[in-house]
Amino acid sequence: MELDILPECYVDTNVVATMLSLEVPSAGMPVHCMGCNKVCGSMYSGKLSDSFALGIIYKDKMEHSYVQEFDVIGAKEHIELLKHKSRHHFIIRINPAMDKFILDMADRQGVRMGDYGLPDKLKEFTKLTKDANAKDNANMKRLFKKLKDDEEMKTLRLVLAYLYNNKYSYDLDYLKKLVNP
């Protein structure tokens, strides 16, 4: 079953699927979208325009105009949660991008990327994360599970699970507390 969760990059698809499976084992796969424009387009004018949707995009590029219709609910160093002013649409914006977020988490947790067969230099890691195989990369899945309790990854995991389980009955105050405890 495909979800109404739309990650913009291959590595995001892996992160979302891995984190969501830890909280909601029966959850389906997120719908990989190639780039912010496709994520926002699917939300704005696609089949999800009148339904719940959660996009995962980066803050490292030019902002899609649709994002201007959202309010920031909360933010951490690498994660912002935004809610559309009138639709059941949310965006998790990663700052600056998922590859840097992952490397920063690994560094904070003292996790050696080499132990997972992954490069620890941003340029090399970015090349790997942009490859189509990143969405199913088993070494990355193992790494993400190791990082699941990092403060920001835990926030991402809990927000994903909460919105998955409460698509139309979410509590914005509760979401604010998840992002800004």
Side-chain angles (χ1 to χ4, degrees):
M1 176 178 104
E2 289 189 339
L3 299 178
D4 31 25
I5 300 175
L6 312 166
E8 89 162 71
C9 195
Y10 295 115
V11 69
D12 309 351
T13 303
N14 193 332
V15 168
V16 169
T18 303
M19 290 301 106
L20 195 54
S21 73
L22 293 173
E23 298 296 319
V24 186
S26 62
M29 284 296 293
V31 180
H32 171 74
C33 294
M34 194 63 205
C36 176
N37 287 335
K38 189 167 180 190
V39 169
C40 290
S42 295
M43 293 172 76
Y44 178 71
S45 60
K47 65 181 180 178
L48 296 172
S49 63
D50 294 323
S51 303
F52 171 85
L54 171 60
I56 292 86
I57 63 173
Y58 299 162
K59 197 171 182 174
D60 69 339
K61 299 179 182 113
M62 194 168 101
E63 186 170 273
H64 190 281
S65 61
Y66 187 52
V67 177
Q68 296 170 3
E69 297 179 30
F70 287 72
D71 293 320
V72 175
I73 292 177
K76 292 189 174 295
E77 180 182 357
H78 294 95
I79 298 173
E80 280 183 309
L81 179 61
L82 299 92
K83 164 74 177 76
H84 191 272
K85 293 177 190 326
S86 61
R87 296 179 181 186
H88 296 287
H89 289 180
F90 290 86
I91 289 177
I92 296 173
R93 189 163 47 183
I94 307 297
N95 182 19
M98 189 64 80
D99 46 7
K100 175 77 167 120
F101 174 40
I102 293 166
L103 288 176
D104 285 354
M105 279 189 295
D107 186 54
R108 269 196 312 259
Q109 298 299 314
V111 173
R112 293 176 359 114
M113 298 291 285
D115 292 348
Y116 295 86
L118 301 167
D120 61 357
K121 302 287 185 242
L122 182 60
K123 188 174 181 176
E124 292 142 13
F125 188 59
T126 299
K127 184 177 177 184
L128 186 65
T129 64
K130 295 201 179 294
D131 184 279
N133 294 320
K135 69 183 175 118
D136 300 310
N137 184 300
N139 288 340
M140 288 184 188
K141 281 186 189 304
R142 286 187 318 113
L143 172 67
F144 303 152
K145 287 177 181 176
K146 175 70 176 175
L147 298 174
K148 72 179 172 44
D149 292 322
D150 176 85
E151 179 187 346
E152 287 190 287
M153 186 66 95
K154 183 177 180 180
T155 297
L156 178 62
R157 182 169 44 91
L158 295 175
V159 167
L160 285 168
Y162 180 76
L163 287 173
Y164 177 84
N165 288 318
N166 299 281
K167 294 177 182 184
Y168 297 100
S169 60
Y170 47 82
D171 177 339
L172 288 177
D173 288 330
Y174 180 75
L175 281 166
K176 287 176 186 176
K177 288 177 186 172
L178 282 179
V179 180
N180 304 310

